């Protein structure tokens, strides 16, 4: 039996691949948590707050050389692509752990022609090999394939035990947490609304575009984005009075779930987006009654410009669809490059 060191891929602001309302970083952290819960003292988790690729974390890793490393990921591709496989160092022969892991995962996520792939173009594979660690990267199905994702969500403990079993770890019996079957249906947040305390409402918002974070903007003192035809991929919004929720549409795909947080490190609720160009956004603001008594009921007013060269589309008001509005800002099929909100 080996001792298993588990790295959850991406994170630290990088959601990884996204599909059907889920992000890769969040899903593999959920799986890693179950691997640890079932495997107990035979499993050590890597730092969930770290992206081991961006930080080159394996280069400074200090664990016994007889421990085995598995880095958890989910694949992404066309919607019909499916199946699990593992990646090892190119030119290396797979060891018994590699073979067992590939077979165990492929039994749950069938579909790949090659269950074990050797590569020399991945940093963590190369660094682990240079340091003499037993390492493999596990692609646990395709997040872009609804069948693979549903199996991943509904049979997460089976996936966890398949990983543990490949390293000779039986694991104990643990309570099974509730698991989503597909993307959860968004609902109106039930958290208490902040009451009016004399402040005038303002919105603060921030975006990612072209792989960069751009400074936050308040109301109409600027616009958010890189402009110049650089697509916005993620957005975070907050307000000082009341409550705001928002969601985005990914170009060529679907609407992602509603969120109401403002935190780039929270891949579930801290921002809307999955690292891919967005072409639509909806915002909805709830006004506290004591604030409305003084200033009237408020709506989120927002607009965007797009990469097709149009400076700005018309203002939208919350997610209303009457009076000729679409209920969102943008034009589906054309990426957004600027955003304003007040």
């Amino acid at each position: 039996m080996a001792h298993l060191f588990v790295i959850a891929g991406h994170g630290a602001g990088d959601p990884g691949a996204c599909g059907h309302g889920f992000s890769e970083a969040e899903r593999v952290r959920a799986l890693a948590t179950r691997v640890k819960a079932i495997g107990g003292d035979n499993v050590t988790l890597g730092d969930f707050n770290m992206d081991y690729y961006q930080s080159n974390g394996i280069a400074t890793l200090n664990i016994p050389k007889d421990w085995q490393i598995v880095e958890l990921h989910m694949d992404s591709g066309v919607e019909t692509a499916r199946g699990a496989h593992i990646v090892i160092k190119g030119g290396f022969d797979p060891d018994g752990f590699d073979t067992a892991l590939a077979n165990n995962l492929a039994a749950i996520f069938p579909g790949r022609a090659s269950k074990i792939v050797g590569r020399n173009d991945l940093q963590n594979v190369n660094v682990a090999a240079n340091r003499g660690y037993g390492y493999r990267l596990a692609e646990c199905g395709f997040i872009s394939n609804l069948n693979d994702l549903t199996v991943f969500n509904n049979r997460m403990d089976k996936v966890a035990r398949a990983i543990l079993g490949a390293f000779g770890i039986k694991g104990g019996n643990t309570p099974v947490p509730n698991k989503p079957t597909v993307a959860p249906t968004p609902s109106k947040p039930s958290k208490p609304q902040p009451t009016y305390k004399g402040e005038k409402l303002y919105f603060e918002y921030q975006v990612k575009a072209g792989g960069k974070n751009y400074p936050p903007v308040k109301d109409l003192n600027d616009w958010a984005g890189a402009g110049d035809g650089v697509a916005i991929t993620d957005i975070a919004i907050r307000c000082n009075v009341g409550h705001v929720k928002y969601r985005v549409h990914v170009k060529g795909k679907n609407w992602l779930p509603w969120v109401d947080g403002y935190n780039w490190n929270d891949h579930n609720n801290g921002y809307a987006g999955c690292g891919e160009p967005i072409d639509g956004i909806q915002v909805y603001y709830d006004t506290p009654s004591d604030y409305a008594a003084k200033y009237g009921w408020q709506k989120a007013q927002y607009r965007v410009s797009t990469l097709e060269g149009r400076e700005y589309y018309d203002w939208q008001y919350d997610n209303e669809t009457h009076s000729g509005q679409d209920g969102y800002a943008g034009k589906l099929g054309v990426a957004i490059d600027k955003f304003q909100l007040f």
Side-chain angles (χ1 to χ4, degrees), residues 240-297:
N240 65 323
V241 176
H243 177 262
V244 63
K245 66 176 184 177
Y246 54 101
R247 66 175 183 168
V248 300
H249 187 276
V250 179
K251 182 181 175 184
K253 298 186 178 179
N254 301 311
W255 285 99
L256 298 183
W258 291 95
V259 298
D260 59 7
Y262 188 87
N263 181 354
W264 291 122
N265 292 319
D266 180 355
H267 306 307
N268 286 323
N269 191 52
Y271 61 93
C274 63
E276 300 180 34
I278 62 174
D279 55 7
I281 181 167
Q282 287 185 311
V283 184
Y284 187 84
Y285 175 70
D286 288 326
T287 312
S289 58
D290 50 356
Y291 186 89
K294 183 173 179 64
Y295 290 107
W297 296 98

Side-chain angles (χ1 to χ4, degrees), residues 154-199:
N154 290 353
R155 304 173 70 186
M156 188 176 292
D157 274 18
K158 182 170 183 177
V159 178
R161 291 183 184 277
I163 293 168
L164 291 166
F167 297 90
I169 303 170
K170 290 185 177 180
N173 294 320
T174 60
V176 179
N178 293 328
K179 315 180 194 74
T181 57
V182 293
T185 302
S187 59
K188 189 173 180 178
S190 60
K191 66 178 66 174
Q193 295 183 355
T195 56
Y196 170 58
K197 296 182 180 180
E199 288 187 277

Side-chain angles (χ1 to χ4, degrees), residues 15 34-35 55 66 68 96-97 99 104 110-111 148 175 182 210 230 235-236 249 271 295-296 302 307 312 318 320:
R34 296 305 299 158
V35 172
S55 65
D66 61 347
Q68 296 296 317
F97 298 127
T99 301
N104 289 359
D148 272 5
V182 293
V230 180
I235 187 164
H249 187 276
Y271 61 93
Y295 290 107
Y302 54 103
L307 268 62
Y312 281 105
D318 283 341
E320 294 177 351

Side-chain angles (χ1 to χ4, degrees), residues 6-233:
V6 179
I7 296 173
H10 302 283
D14 176 10
C18 297
H20 305 285
F22 291 89
S23 76
E24 179 184 5
E26 183 277 326
R27 288 288 78 197
V28 296
R29 279 159 177 74
L31 174 58
T33 300
R34 296 305 299 158
V35 172
K36 172 62 178 174
I38 298 169
D41 293 340
N42 296 310
V43 176
T44 299
L45 294 181
D47 186 351
F48 277 7
N49 296 314
M50 180 186 294
D51 181 331
Y52 277 78
Y53 174 78
Q54 291 181 357
S55 65
N56 197 15
I58 294 179
T60 57
L61 194 62
N62 184 20
I63 61 174
K65 289 297 177 65
D66 61 347
W67 285 17
Q68 296 296 317
I69 302 173
V70 61
E71 182 172 341
L72 301 178
H73 285 263
M74 295 189 76
D75 227 331
S76 182
V78 297
E79 292 187 358
T80 55
R82 57 180 302 194
H85 76 285
I86 71 166
V87 178
I88 63 174
K89 172 68 174 173
F92 282 20
D93 291 327
D95 60 21
F97 298 127
D98 299 328
T99 301
L101 181 61
N103 288 337
N104 289 359
L105 291 178
I108 300 172
F109 302 102
R112 293 293 296 247
S114 299
K115 294 183 289 187
I116 302 176
V117 177
R119 293 180 61 175
N120 292 311
D121 59 341
L122 297 178
Q123 173 183 282
N124 287 353
V125 173
N126 293 333
V127 173
N130 290 337
R131 297 201 62 202
Y133 285 125
Y135 167 98
R136 68 284 303 154
L137 184 152
E139 296 279 11
C140 302
F142 280 76
I143 197 170
S144 50
N145 180 276
L146 186 57
N147 185 76
D148 272 5
L149 178 61
T150 301
V151 170
F152 185 101
N153 289 339
N154 290 353
R155 304 173 70 186
M156 188 176 292
D157 274 18
K158 182 170 183 177
V159 178
R161 291 183 184 277
I163 293 168
L164 291 166
F167 297 90
I169 303 170
K170 290 185 177 180
N173 294 320
T174 60
V176 179
N178 293 328
K179 315 180 194 74
T181 57
V182 293
T185 302
S187 59
K188 189 173 180 178
S190 60
K191 66 178 66 174
Q193 295 183 355
T195 56
Y196 170 58
K197 296 182 180 180
E199 288 187 277
K200 189 70 184 292
L201 167 68
Y202 68 80
F203 290 100
E204 181 176 297
Y205 48 102
Q206 189 175 13
V207 303
K208 291 183 180 181
K212 298 180 181 179
N213 285 24
Y214 284 83
V217 176
K218 280 189 178 180
D219 287 338
L220 299 182
N221 65 354
D222 203 348
W223 46 266
D228 298 324
V230 180
I232 292 173
T233 58

